[in-house]
Amino acid sequence: MEMRLFIKLFAAIVLMTEACSSLIEKDDLIQVLLKEIQKLGSKVERLETECVLKSDLSDERQRRLLLPDNPSTYNIAFSAYLSHLDNGPAVGKLREIVFDKIETNLGNGYDTYSGTFRAPKDGVYAFTWTIFVVGGSGANGEVWTELVINGQIHGTLHADTETTSDDDSSTGFVIKVLNKDDIVFIRTSNMAVPQGQLHSNHMRWTFSGWLIE
């Protein structure tokens, strides 16, 4: 862009010199040329400023994006829910909960057969899970659950109904730095044997997670 402007200016100067050499004194011609050069310098400065602004806007737009441009390559996120769960005593203590229905599984980190999430890469991850219990005519629903990472407990939830017509739910949230191939899953706690009805058609147990950065 700048080179084309200089070429046009040079051609104009040559023509001006040939046409006006007999009419304008040497000093006047120098003043005219200096003014044209100043105008050209202002144009170049404006062009440089525009280029810098466009570059800054592009960088800012990229920084504001929460997800990479190619989700199949870089995105890691999953969300799954339970289609069925036995009543409390049949579930028992320290049983891994297998969320068998997938809503999203970008990066293929979640396994619906084992109920575990294996981190595809190093990074900061967020996890959330929701549990639900129903008040029944027999034992009221009650359950303790844990979010486990590499065999260590990093979050617990408790839901408990108090009356026959009472339902209860609970949601947990954990942010954790993981290394590639770290394992994350939800299981019932060793605190107490689950009781009553833990599942219904109008409320879901869910497990979700995603890579923050």
Side-chain angles (χ1 to χ4, degrees):
M1 178 66 74
E2 292 85 350
M3 182 60 71
R4 288 200 296 270
L5 289 172
F6 275 108
I7 292 173
K8 289 181 180 179
L9 177 61
F10 180 76
I13 291 171
V14 172
L15 292 174
M16 187 183 299
T17 303
E18 292 176 353
C20 301
S21 59
S22 61
L23 301 175
I24 304 175
E25 295 296 333
K26 183 177 180 181
D27 290 343
D28 293 337
L29 181 58
I30 290 174
Q31 293 300 320
V32 171
L33 293 177
L34 288 174
K35 289 180 180 180
E36 292 299 324
I37 291 173
Q38 289 176 349
K39 291 179 181 179
L40 180 60
S42 298
K43 290 181 179 180
V44 171
E45 288 180 359
R46 286 198 299 271
L47 288 171
E48 290 177 343
T49 301
E50 290 176 2
C51 290
V52 171
L53 289 174
K54 289 180 179 179
S55 176
D56 290 344
L57 287 173
S58 178
D59 292 342
E60 181 65 20
R61 189 178 296 111
Q62 290 296 324
R63 285 195 295 269
R64 289 182 179 180
L65 289 177
L66 297 179
L67 300 176
D69 293 333
N70 189 345
S72 63
T73 302
Y74 299 105
N75 271 9
I76 298 172
F78 76 95
S79 183
Y81 67 92
L82 275 176
S83 63
H84 176 74
L85 188 63
D86 294 331
N87 287 342
V91 173
K93 296 181 180 180
L94 300 179
R95 173 175 167 179
E96 184 171 343
I97 305 300
V98 179
F99 296 82
D100 57 316
K101 297 297 182 180
I102 285 288
E103 295 280 5
T104 300
N105 196 15
L106 295 176
N108 296 316
Y110 182 75
D111 183 359
T112 56
Y113 294 99
S114 65
T116 60
F117 171 76
R118 183 185 295 271
K121 61 182 292 186
D122 297 353
V124 180
Y125 288 80
F127 298 97
T128 182
W129 77 108
T130 295
I131 60 176
F132 177 75
V133 293
V134 182
S137 57
N140 294 324
E142 181 178 13
V143 65
W144 292 81
T145 62
E146 304 168 338
L147 182 131
V148 180
I149 302 176
N150 297 330
Q152 301 297 315
I153 299 169
H154 290 273
T156 60
L157 282 183
H158 178 233
D160 183 15
T161 60
E162 299 297 335
T163 65
T164 299
S165 60
D166 185 27
D167 296 338
D168 192 27
S169 65
S170 185
T171 296
F173 189 78
V174 172
I175 295 177
K176 188 69 177 175
V177 177
L178 299 184
N179 296 318
K180 185 178 182 296
D181 293 328
D182 281 353
I183 296 296
V184 185
F185 60 88
I186 304 297
R187 73 183 180 191
T188 56
S189 171
N190 197 37
M191 293 285 293
V193 175
Q195 298 296 318
Q197 188 176 346
L198 307 181
H199 182 269
S200 75
N201 294 325
H202 64 273
M203 187 70 179
R204 289 176 173 176
W205 284 49
T206 62
F207 181 31
S208 303
W210 61 95
L211 175 68
I212 298 176
E213 64 176 6

